[in-house]
Amino acid sequence: MELNQEPTICSATSILSRSPMLKPRYKTTNWKQYNQSLINRGSLTFWIDEEAISGWAQSKQNKRGRPRWFSDLAITTALMVKRVFSMPLRALQGFIDSIFRLAHVPLSCPHYTCISCRAKQVEVSFKTKTRGAIQHLAIDTTGLKVYGEGE
């Protein structure tokens, strides 16, 4: 007596539908180093060059009510920080002012309306070299430079 049984075909989709695919689990063995690496993810270093500080050039115009005049370096740097951190202009002004306060640098950020108006006049070239996390921001006489993974 012969039974005509067809062979069962197992496909990948039928196997996956029966049992969920498990993610590989990694065991952390060096907790001290792991915790420090998580803390360092939030670390950010600003490097401000002495020439950039002298080139910031915020001069008062000796007329009552007139705004300060900032150099193209100041406007370009502000626009690049805005682009890197995806900030609105008002938050950008507070952010840059707080960086200068923390670094004990006697400078102030241009007003957000000044940045907005001068953005049309200043030529800014954005080079996105890094795709990873930003680790260092350097401000020198050529503008803002971003250093991260792969640099």
Side-chain angles (χ1 to χ4, degrees), residues 111-127:
H111 197 262
Y112 68 92
T113 57
C114 176
I115 296 171
S116 177
C117 292
R118 295 272 309 276
K120 301 166 192 158
Q121 300 167 357
V122 177
E123 193 168 318
V124 181
S125 62
F126 295 108
K127 297 177 184 174

Side-chain angles (χ1 to χ4, degrees), residues 5-50:
Q5 291 182 346
E6 293 182 17
T8 58
I9 300 173
C10 290
S11 65
T13 56
S14 65
I15 293 172
L16 289 177
S17 64
R18 283 186 235 149
S19 64
M21 197 168 178
L22 298 174
K23 291 183 179 180
R25 296 190 64 159
Y26 300 103
K27 187 174 180 180
T28 304
T29 56
N30 191 348
W31 282 100
K32 185 176 181 180
Q33 183 181 6
Y34 175 71
N35 285 335
Q36 190 60 42
S37 68
L38 290 178
I39 291 169
N40 289 341
R41 283 185 187 176
S43 175
L44 179 69
T45 305
F46 269 91
W47 298 80
I48 304 173
D49 189 51
E50 291 295 328

Side-chain angles (χ1 to χ4, degrees), residues 46-89:
F46 269 91
W47 298 80
I48 304 173
D49 189 51
E50 291 295 328
E51 292 179 30
I53 292 172
S54 63
W56 195 265
Q58 55 185 27
S59 61
K60 191 92 169 147
Q61 298 221 344
N62 295 333
K63 291 185 180 178
R64 189 171 156 199
R66 293 287 287 193
R68 296 180 178 189
W69 181 259
F70 289 90
S71 67
D72 289 346
L73 171 69
I75 303 299
T76 303
T77 303
L79 289 172
M80 291 183 87
V81 169
K82 178 186 182 315
R83 169 83 185 265
V84 167
F85 292 107
S86 302
M87 292 181 151
L89 288 174

